[in-house]
Amino acid sequence: MYRTHSNGELRASDINTEVTLAGWVQKTRDKGFMIWVDLRDRYGITQLIFDEERTQKSVMETASKLGREFVIQAKGTVIARESKNPNIPTGDIEILVSEVTILNEALTPPFTIENETDGGEDLRMKYRYLDIRRNPVRENLVFRHKVTMAVRNYLSEKEFVEVETPYLIKSTPEGARDFVVPSRMNEGQFYALPQSPQTFKQLLMVGGMDKYFQIVKCFRDEDLRADRQPEFTQIDCEMAFVEQEDILNTFEGLTRHLLKELNGVNVAEFPRMTYDDAMKKYGNDKPDIRFGMEFGELNEVTQHKDFNVFNQAELVVGIAVPGGNTYTRKEIDKLTDWVKRPQIGALGMVYCRCNEDGSFKSSVDKFYDQEDLAKWADITGAKAGDLICVLSGDTHKVRAQLSALRMELAEREGLRKANEFAPLWVVDFPLLEWDEETERYHAMHHPFTSPKPGQLDLLETNPGDVKANAYDLVLNGNEIGGGSIRIHDKETQALMFDYLGFTPEEAKAQFGFLMDAFQYGAPPHGGIAFGLDRLVSILGGQETIRDFIAFPKNNSGRDVMIDAPAVIDNEQLKELGLQLNLKS
Amino acid sequence: MYRTHSNGELRASDINTEVTLAGWVQKTRDKGFMIWVDLRDRYGITQLIFDEERTQKSVMETASKLGREFVIQAKGTVIARESKNPNIPTGDIEILVSEVTILNEALTPPFTIENETDGGEDLRMKYRYLDIRRNPVRENLVFRHKVTMAVRNYLSEKEFVEVETPYLIKSTPEGARDFVVPSRMNEGQFYALPQSPQTFKQLLMVGGMDKYFQIVKCFRDEDLRADRQPEFTQIDCEMAFVEQEDILNTFEGLTRHLLKELNGVNVAEFPRMTYDDAMKKYGNDKPDIRFGMEFGELNEVTQHKDFNVFNQAELVVGIAVPGGNTYTRKEIDKLTDWVKRPQIGALGMVYCRCNEDGSFKSSVDKFYDQEDLAKWADITGAKAGDLICVLSGDTHKVRAQLSALRMELAEREGLRKANEFAPLWVVDFPLLEWDEETERYHAMHHPFTSPKPGQLDLLETNPGDVKANAYDLVLNGNEIGGGSIRIHDKETQALMFDYLGFTPEEAKAQFGFLMDAFQYGAPPHGGIAFGLDRLVSILGGQETIRDFIAFPKNNSGRDVMIDAPAVIDNEQLKELGLQLNLKS
């Protein structure tokens, strides 16, 4: 037995107990006649003391050789600490060491193992096993475990069954790129890693499992944007004999439970907003509603004057920045530059100061009088002391631009509080979205999403107007979950595949098993999937999902610690019936 | 809302309640004036009644059209059932239906959806979603869920943290073949799917996670034997600052908890047996100790006579079959044929009947007298009425042969009772095992396993004698878990790699990160991994793991339901920098 106690548990009540501890040397203070060592493990820190009056010489000698991150075992007696440390739970005691063993030595770590480290991102990733020794990283991983336990116990309690679906499945060209896995036993053929267990969970519903969930790794071979991982984890859920309302209630319950259990926060009933409203009010289908700054559409009150920029715009839309009238001219100019950056792409920004005396001062005073500007204030909800920012142009683009500005301003003003939680259901998503590149409609959610009842006919005439039984759960401006009621009859599914450009042969080759299944008594069903990495990071009050993943990959999809991916030998390739055919 | 109640919950106390139910039509009985429908869902069966005196004509008409596995919704009133059915929990009531809706029609399923189905294995796998509707299959999956929940809650309670390790890792030629995943973003390079998270869990220990577990999919591209799956699930565990004793106690606790929770069985302290003893007593490193029939080595009492077969044998060994004296001569001949089959490979079998009167009758009476045979009985523990079966030859082979015979006889005699549980720790495994094919020693467990203290020197002189801190947990003759104390210092690990034939360059390329990690303060650590599929099937009292996997693959590694693996298009191959190079 290496230890009788952890380094986080000894208290004043343990004084005079003989103990054995083990752990890492966090730091040492050596005064020659006396040596103190902070011994660390996952559970805390305990101070060891070596004292030439009370400690054997050989033990003193070993103690004097201990370096940072050495792994040691120490036996001794719990004694009262002379100068107590109120900052740690073990701060009332220390261990007078009688015996010390070096279990393993350590090179000086390449960065400090402290809450605030001097290690850069790259170094921390290469030595991730050392990074995990740091409290914040380890606590994030423990937090993630608590979240998954809470999810599992909650859903299990509600009669959901976790079913493992296969990882070696079949490639489908729909959606993002699959990672593929060559099969040696079936030469020339490939498995694909699942982008989600979508079809399998639907088959489980056909199979009568009734309520399914799974916390499961999914894979997408996408060009990685910042904070995207080629492998990610979903809380995947599906229910049979349900309508949208049942799903929303069930998973609102789950989310509320998590907020209560993990954050101690009681949240009222989640508000709901249609996709159209979200776009109109926030320019975004995942609005952060922790703060106001709702969009005010100003076409009616701006397009009767001589300001051509607004007159020619499809949409003129503004937001009121609370207290923004304190911004200097220079600050406002910088804001204008910010929206004009290529990433945002606005052509310019009109602003209007709402003075404390009730008067207005805008950048377009030439065209608009006080009465006009009062209407702007009225529509955007601006009060005395606020600043109105107005963008104009093509509806789709200008909404995205103003949404970006809104988020940026909220960030600057400290309105995006990590410990405040504002969930929101966004409902009535369009069934299809127009893809500029291929010049055709694609399924916005996926091809199994059910159109709203009675809207199927619209597909031929106004496909973009067809709404789906699809919904997203948004938390603090992040989509944490999304799902839909599925199609459950073969005819509608065939129609949908046809509409999305699958020939009947392609549909059969890729989804024949699902179409077959629908013939044998498929129940109405629907579900939702949560992005666990994102959910955990938001509940944890942070933004970066990488901080909540034990061994994340970098933006090139590489694990820099183990140096993967890597070349494999030719023998292995040959066995798989493959050879390289490099482009470069 | 599709239903107010499930089909398993209505009781006599619900009589007169208006309810809405939904589910599948299990069967109908149509007497013209009265129709009964058994409505089924995951939770049970409820009887619906349609009666021309009390039911509208249009509803009667719909009811008469219902076929097996139709999905319907029925509204009506709970009434007392005239002839109660004591076999089902809802047997006291039925639903007088006022409204029925067909939610989905169904083709006649290709096999019956009953506990005992007429569908063969192949058909059931192709239509697995229908197979899952059958109670036994669904109950197996629900049971699996209960096992994983019990494991997670138990370990979580004991301060273990579930950490997700990556699926896209690096290929290592050691051990079984890896499945590889070509990387598009890193052309010409490949990820590998993990055969186990071994190195990652060790790095988590170096990272101070202290107690780790994960229920995780693992992958092995092996030629599939019966009941092996290319993807399988492990309960993977690791602890720091532990000796073998700590691991055995912890996971004996877990296993005992599972037996108690899921089977209601209290098991005493698990017996322990060395590998050497297990081989000697049972010819097997995973002995089924639910029954006796221990091996008796007979060299000393057989090799002094003129029976050359025994005299020339390295080992002469027998077992006593309880009550086996009732076997006819013909039955014994058949048994002899059984051990001579190529799968077993014995050259013959000697037997000795233990008569009720205390006399013996053997197939080698020419060479051995009553006194000799009495010694055989003594050594094998045979009693009057038993049969002694004796095999001889090369120790290694003859033990395997007699072990197979022992299991076969136990099976025939009904000694392998599914509801009886006999766990056993097998300890002190050899560190290395000789591989005939490559004519060298390989790591028996894996190259990270620690030799027993002080035995490292033996490596040079008697490598086969070196024992490891390695252990298996055996349940009812199946290895359900195995693990070891790991090497945790760089020098021993380097020595081990060297011994296993890795050049320093190869060791560095493949495991450099682990060797590096060991330099920065690695704690002593060890762990265990359970095969979940096997564990669940044994706890579930069954033998076939496939019955506890939702969507298993067949012996060629194919998913016959979705028809995977499959060819992918050339475009996809090209993007990956690959082309086919088929051998055939």
Side-chain angles (χ1 to χ4, degrees):
Chain A
M1 190 141 81
Y2 279 100
R3 59 188 174 194
T4 55
H5 296 78
S6 80
N7 291 316
E9 67 180 306
L10 292 170
R11 300 286 183 273
S13 56
D14 297 302
I15 284 168
N16 292 328
T17 312
E18 292 296 309
V19 299
T20 307
L21 300 182
W24 286 265
V25 172
Q26 175 75 25
K27 65 174 184 208
T28 60
R29 267 182 308 150
D30 189 341
K31 298 222 170 193
F33 61 94
M34 215 174 258
I35 302 169
W36 292 268
V37 172
D38 277 359
L39 190 64
R40 188 196 68 230
D41 64 13
R42 181 181 128 202
Y43 313 95
I45 281 181
T46 299
Q47 181 166 288
L48 310 180
I49 183 167
F50 304 77
D51 159 8
E52 65 178 4
E53 287 185 13
R54 296 177 285 177
T55 306
Q56 276 194 357
K57 199 159 174 235
S58 64
V59 177
M60 284 301 281
E61 265 165 26
T62 308
S64 71
K65 281 184 291 191
L66 298 177
R68 274 206 287 142
E69 301 304 318
F70 274 39
V71 183
I72 64 168
Q73 183 187 46
K75 296 186 185 189
T77 313
V78 183
I79 61 174
R81 191 151 153 178
E82 239 166 73
S83 55
K84 313 259 185 276
N85 180 349
N87 298 322
I88 56 172
T90 62
D92 286 347
I93 58 97
E94 59 193 355
I95 311 299
L96 179 63
V97 177
S98 57
E99 219 182 305
V100 66
T101 311
I102 296 175
L103 299 174
N104 221 338
E105 300 195 348
L107 298 181
T108 305
F111 50 85
T112 56
I113 311 295
E114 307 275 356
N115 290 2
E116 298 292 328
T117 182
D118 56 356
E121 174 88 1
D122 289 352
L123 208 55
R124 288 174 47 213
M125 287 303 144
K126 182 165 165 55
Y127 298 93
R128 184 64 163 176
Y129 46 87
L130 297 179
D131 201 27
I132 291 171
R133 283 193 200 157
R134 300 192 310 113
N135 292 331
V137 180
R138 194 196 52 245
E139 279 161 14
N140 284 349
L141 297 179
V142 173
F143 183 77
R144 184 182 178 112
H145 168 63
K146 287 185 180 154
V147 172
T148 57
M149 286 304 295
V151 169
R152 287 193 160 101
N153 281 310
Y154 183 90
L155 291 177
S156 208
E157 192 70 25
K158 304 273 179 205
E159 295 191 297
F160 281 78
V161 177
E162 183 161 20
V163 180
E164 292 178 58
T165 53
Y167 277 81
L168 296 173
I169 64 165
K170 191 168 166 173
S171 189
T172 55
E174 178 72 6
R177 277 193 200 80
D178 288 318
F179 282 106
V180 296
V181 181
S183 165
R184 185 178 52 86
M185 286 174 72
N186 302 272
E187 213 190 28
Q189 300 187 16
F190 295 76
Y191 302 100
L193 299 177
Q195 296 186 31
S196 90
Q198 183 63 33
T199 47
F200 288 95
K201 68 176 176 176
Q202 293 193 241
L203 292 175
L204 286 172
M205 294 304 103
V206 176
M209 283 305 296
D210 208 70
K211 292 177 183 172
Y212 146 92
F213 82 102
Q214 188 183 190
I215 300 186
V216 61
K217 273 280 175 78
C218 301
F219 304 86
R220 262 176 226 171
D221 185 12
E222 286 176 311
D223 299 318
L224 301 176
R225 284 180 271 153
D227 225 21
R228 279 262 190 149
Q229 292 282 319
E231 51 177 305
F232 55 97
T233 308
Q234 277 190 0
I235 308 170
D236 193 49
C237 309
E238 196 81 4
M239 302 171 78
F241 299 110
V242 289
E243 291 162 343
Q244 175 167 313
E245 195 59 27
D246 301 302
I247 307 256
L248 300 194
N249 288 334
T250 302
F251 294 97
E252 183 164 325
L254 170 65
T255 311
R256 190 178 286 121
H257 174 76
L258 295 178
L259 285 164
K260 177 90 181 97
E261 281 287 297
L262 294 152
N263 299 86
V265 173
N266 284 302
V267 182
E269 198 173 324
F270 296 4
R272 297 184 188 182
M273 192 181 289
T274 64
Y275 171 87
D276 287 348
D277 274 355
M279 294 309 288
K280 204 175 160 72
K281 284 190 192 166
Y282 299 98
N284 196 316
D285 62 1
K286 42 178 199 280
D288 189 340
I289 58 166
R290 280 176 294 185
F291 55 96
M293 295 172 68
E294 284 185 23
F295 287 15
E297 298 194 349
L298 303 173
N299 292 38
E300 275 189 32
V301 297
T302 55
Q303 294 188 327
H304 57 296
K305 296 296 168 65
D306 294 336
F307 188 45
N308 267 335
V309 174
F310 282 0
N311 287 347
Q312 287 161 12
E314 192 184 358
L315 178 67
V316 182
V317 60
I319 51 172
V321 188
N325 194 24
T326 58
Y327 290 10
T328 63
R329 174 61 195 264
K330 207 172 153 191
E331 282 170 327
I332 296 175
D333 285 349
K334 272 194 167 168
L335 222 48
T336 309
D337 290 343
W338 191 89
V339 296
K340 286 165 80 176
R341 294 184 318 152
Q343 299 94 313
I344 309 295
L347 294 173
M349 184 180 89
V350 166
Y351 69 86
C352 171
R353 292 177 175 283
C354 307
N355 296 319
E356 295 293 345
D357 63 4
S359 69
F360 301 97
K361 174 83 193 70
S362 85
S363 57
V364 285
D365 279 350
K366 205 156 70 170
F367 305 107
Y368 301 97
D369 59 23
Q370 291 289 310
E371 202 178 323
D372 291 327
L373 298 176
K375 286 178 190 158
W376 295 19
D378 186 44
I379 291 170
T380 59
K383 309 220 167 355
D386 290 356
L387 176 76
I388 304 171
C389 298
V390 182
L391 301 182
S392 62
D394 166 74
T395 301
H396 188 70
K397 286 183 186 160
V398 81
R399 280 178 172 169
Q401 291 156 3
L402 192 62
S403 171
L405 178 62
R406 176 177 175 270
M407 294 298 271
E408 174 68 15
L409 287 167
E411 195 70 51
R412 291 185 190 189
E413 296 296 324
L415 302 174
R416 306 194 64 198
K417 302 196 180 84
N419 57 356
E420 194 177 307
F421 295 96
L424 170 74
W425 285 111
V426 178
V427 298
D428 297 355
F429 272 78
L431 182 67
L432 305 167
E433 71 185 335
W434 182 254
D435 184 60
E436 295 287 348
E437 200 178 319
T438 55
E439 295 201 311
R440 48 174 302 143
Y441 281 103
H442 283 265
M444 191 158 186
H445 198 62
H446 54 51
F448 315 109
T449 299
S450 166
K452 289 236 165 238
Q455 298 213 339
L456 212 52
D457 295 344
L458 268 179
L459 263 186
E460 288 308 313
T461 53
N462 289 44
D465 288 350
V466 179
K467 293 290 189 278
N469 276 322
Y471 33 82
D472 275 358
L473 182 53
V474 174
L475 183 58
N476 295 359
N478 293 281
E479 181 210 321
I480 58 164
S484 64
I485 298 296
R486 326 298 182 187
I487 297 166
H488 70 281
D489 65 288
K490 196 190 173 186
E491 291 69 32
T492 310
Q493 190 63 70
L495 201 71
M496 200 65 198
F497 283 137
D498 180 43
Y499 195 82
L500 294 171
F502 288 79
T503 65
E505 291 71 33
E506 285 168 347
K508 188 171 167 44
Q510 287 167 37
F511 301 109
F513 56 97
L514 189 69
M515 311 274 275
D516 281 352
F518 282 178
Q519 297 181 92
Y520 290 101
H525 61 286
I528 193 167
F530 292 84
L532 179 69
D533 306 301
R534 174 68 59 204
L535 175 65
V536 169
S537 73
I538 295 172
L539 294 178
Q542 293 178 38
E543 291 278 313
T544 320
I545 64 170
R546 212 172 285 188
D547 292 342
F548 290 82
I549 298 173
F551 300 101
K553 294 193 171 51
N554 73 9
N555 282 347
S556 320
R558 294 199 70 84
D559 182 325
V560 296
M561 181 185 71
I562 63 170
D563 195 24
V567 293
I568 59 176
D569 60 35
N570 275 325
E571 204 43 51
Q572 218 171 339
L573 271 178
K574 219 166 131 186
E575 260 194 343
L576 296 168
L578 289 176
Q579 66 185 45
L580 296 184
N581 175 28
L582 304 186
K583 292 184 285 291
S584 47
Chain B
M1 189 141 82
Y2 278 101
R3 59 189 174 192
T4 55
H5 296 78
S6 81
N7 291 317
E9 66 179 305
L10 293 169
R11 299 287 182 274
S13 56
D14 297 302
I15 284 169
N16 292 328
T17 311
E18 294 294 311
V19 299
T20 307
L21 300 181
W24 285 266
V25 172
Q26 176 75 23
K27 65 174 184 204
T28 59
R29 267 184 306 151
D30 190 341
K31 298 223 170 194
F33 61 96
M34 214 173 261
I35 302 170
W36 291 270
V37 173
D38 276 359
L39 190 63
R40 188 196 70 230
D41 63 15
R42 181 181 128 200
Y43 312 95
I45 281 182
T46 299
Q47 179 164 290
L48 310 179
I49 182 166
F50 304 78
D51 158 8
E52 66 178 4
E53 286 185 14
R54 295 178 288 177
T55 305
Q56 277 194 359
K57 199 161 174 228
S58 64
V59 176
M60 284 300 281
E61 265 165 26
T62 307
S64 70
K65 280 183 292 190
L66 298 177
R68 274 206 289 142
E69 301 305 316
F70 274 39
V71 184
I72 65 167
Q73 183 187 45
K75 297 187 184 188
T77 313
V78 183
I79 60 174
R81 192 151 152 180
E82 237 166 74
S83 55
K84 313 260 185 277
N85 180 349
N87 298 321
I88 58 173
T90 62
D92 287 346
I93 57 97
E94 60 193 353
I95 312 299
L96 179 63
V97 178
S98 57
E99 220 181 304
V100 66
T101 311
I102 295 174
L103 299 174
N104 220 338
E105 301 196 347
L107 297 181
T108 305
F111 50 85
T112 56
I113 312 295
E114 307 274 356
N115 290 3
E116 298 291 329
T117 182
D118 56 357
E121 175 87 0
D122 290 353
L123 207 56
R124 287 175 47 212
M125 286 303 144
K126 181 165 164 55
Y127 296 93
R128 184 64 164 175
Y129 45 86
L130 296 179
D131 201 27
I132 291 173
R133 280 191 201 159
R134 300 193 308 114
N135 293 331
V137 180
R138 194 195 52 245
E139 279 161 14
N140 284 350
L141 297 179
V142 173
F143 183 76
R144 183 182 179 111
H145 168 63
K146 286 184 183 156
V147 173
T148 58
M149 286 305 295
V151 169
R152 286 191 160 102
N153 282 309
Y154 183 89
L155 291 176
S156 207
E157 192 71 26
K158 303 274 180 207
E159 294 192 296
F160 282 78
V161 177
E162 184 161 19
V163 181
E164 293 177 58
T165 53
Y167 278 80
L168 296 173
I169 63 165
K170 190 168 167 172
S171 190
T172 55
E174 178 73 4
R177 277 193 200 81
D178 288 319
F179 281 107
V180 296
V181 182
S183 165
R184 184 178 53 87
M185 286 174 73
N186 302 271
E187 214 190 28
Q189 300 188 18
F190 295 75
Y191 302 100
L193 300 178
Q195 296 186 31
S196 91
Q198 183 62 33
T199 48
F200 288 95
K201 70 176 175 176
Q202 292 192 241
L203 292 174
L204 287 171
M205 294 304 103
V206 176
M209 283 305 297
D210 208 72
K211 293 176 183 173
Y212 145 93
F213 83 102
Q214 188 183 189
I215 300 186
V216 61
K217 273 279 175 77
C218 299
F219 304 85
R220 262 176 224 172
D221 185 12
E222 286 175 310
D223 299 318
L224 300 176
R225 284 181 270 153
D227 225 22
R228 278 261 193 153
Q229 292 282 318
E231 50 177 305
F232 55 96
T233 308
Q234 276 190 0
I235 307 170
D236 193 48
C237 309
E238 197 81 3
M239 302 170 79
F241 298 110
V242 288
E243 290 161 344
Q244 175 169 310
E245 195 59 28
D246 302 301
I247 307 255
L248 299 194
N249 288 334
T250 303
F251 294 97
E252 183 165 325
L254 170 65
T255 311
R256 190 177 286 121
H257 175 76
L258 295 178
L259 285 164
K260 176 92 181 98
E261 281 287 297
L262 295 151
N263 298 87
V265 172
N266 284 303
V267 181
E269 199 173 322
F270 296 5
R272 297 183 189 183
M273 192 180 289
T274 65
Y275 171 87
D276 287 348
D277 274 355
M279 294 309 289
K280 205 174 159 73
K281 284 190 192 168
Y282 300 99
N284 195 316
D285 61 2
K286 42 177 200 278
D288 189 341
I289 58 166
R290 280 175 295 185
F291 56 96
M293 296 169 69
E294 284 184 22
F295 287 16
E297 298 193 350
L298 305 173
N299 292 37
E300 276 188 31
V301 297
T302 55
Q303 294 187 326
H304 57 298
K305 297 295 166 69
D306 294 335
F307 188 45
N308 268 336
V309 174
F310 282 0
N311 287 346
Q312 286 161 11
E314 190 184 0
L315 179 68
V316 182
V317 59
I319 50 172
V321 188
N325 194 25
T326 57
Y327 290 11
T328 62
R329 173 63 195 262
K330 204 170 154 193
E331 282 171 329
I332 295 175
D333 285 349
K334 271 195 168 167
L335 223 47
T336 308
D337 291 343
W338 190 89
V339 297
K340 286 165 81 176
R341 294 184 318 151
Q343 299 94 311
I344 308 296
L347 293 173
M349 184 180 92
V350 165
Y351 68 86
C352 172
R353 292 176 175 283
C354 307
N355 297 318
E356 296 294 346
D357 64 5
S359 69
F360 301 98
K361 173 85 193 71
S362 84
S363 56
V364 285
D365 279 349
K366 201 155 69 165
F367 306 105
Y368 301 97
D369 60 23
Q370 291 291 310
E371 203 178 320
D372 291 327
L373 298 175
K375 287 179 191 159
W376 296 19
D378 187 43
I379 291 171
T380 59
K383 310 218 167 358
D386 291 356
L387 176 77
I388 304 172
C389 298
V390 183
L391 301 181
S392 63
D394 165 74
T395 300
H396 189 70
K397 285 182 187 161
V398 79
R399 279 179 171 168
Q401 291 157 3
L402 191 63
S403 170
L405 177 62
R406 176 178 175 269
M407 293 298 271
E408 174 68 16
L409 287 166
E411 194 71 50
R412 291 185 191 188
E413 297 295 325
L415 301 173
R416 306 193 65 199
K417 301 196 181 83
N419 57 355
E420 194 177 306
F421 295 96
L424 169 74
W425 285 111
V426 178
V427 298
D428 297 353
F429 272 79
L431 183 67
L432 304 166
E433 72 185 333
W434 182 254
D435 185 59
E436 295 287 349
E437 201 178 319
T438 55
E439 295 200 312
R440 49 173 303 142
Y441 281 102
H442 283 265
M444 190 157 185
H445 198 62
H446 53 52
F448 315 109
T449 299
S450 167
K452 289 236 166 239
Q455 298 213 338
L456 211 52
D457 296 342
L458 269 179
L459 263 186
E460 289 308 315
T461 52
N462 290 42
D465 287 351
V466 180
K467 293 291 191 277
N469 276 321
Y471 32 82
D472 275 358
L473 182 54
V474 174
L475 184 58
N476 295 0
N478 293 281
E479 180 212 321
I480 58 163
S484 64
I485 298 298
R486 325 299 182 187
I487 297 166
H488 70 280
D489 65 289
K490 195 190 174 186
E491 291 69 32
T492 311
Q493 190 63 70
L495 202 70
M496 200 65 199
F497 283 138
D498 180 42
Y499 196 83
L500 295 171
F502 288 79
T503 65
E505 292 69 34
E506 284 168 347
K508 189 172 164 46
Q510 285 167 38
F511 301 109
F513 56 97
L514 189 68
M515 313 272 277
D516 281 352
F518 282 177
Q519 297 182 92
Y520 290 102
H525 61 287
I528 194 168
F530 292 84
L532 179 69
D533 305 301
R534 175 67 60 205
L535 174 65
V536 169
S537 73
I538 296 172
L539 294 178
Q542 293 177 40
E543 290 277 314
T544 321
I545 63 170
R546 211 172 287 187
D547 291 342
F548 289 83
I549 298 173
F551 300 101
K553 294 192 171 51
N554 73 10
N555 282 348
S556 320
R558 295 198 70 83
D559 182 326
V560 296
M561 181 185 71
I562 64 171
D563 196 23
V567 294
I568 59 175
D569 61 34
N570 275 325
E571 203 43 52
Q572 219 171 337
L573 271 178
K574 219 165 130 187
E575 260 193 344
L576 295 168
L578 289 176
Q579 65 186 42
L580 295 183
N581 176 29
L582 303 186
K583 293 183 284 291
S584 48

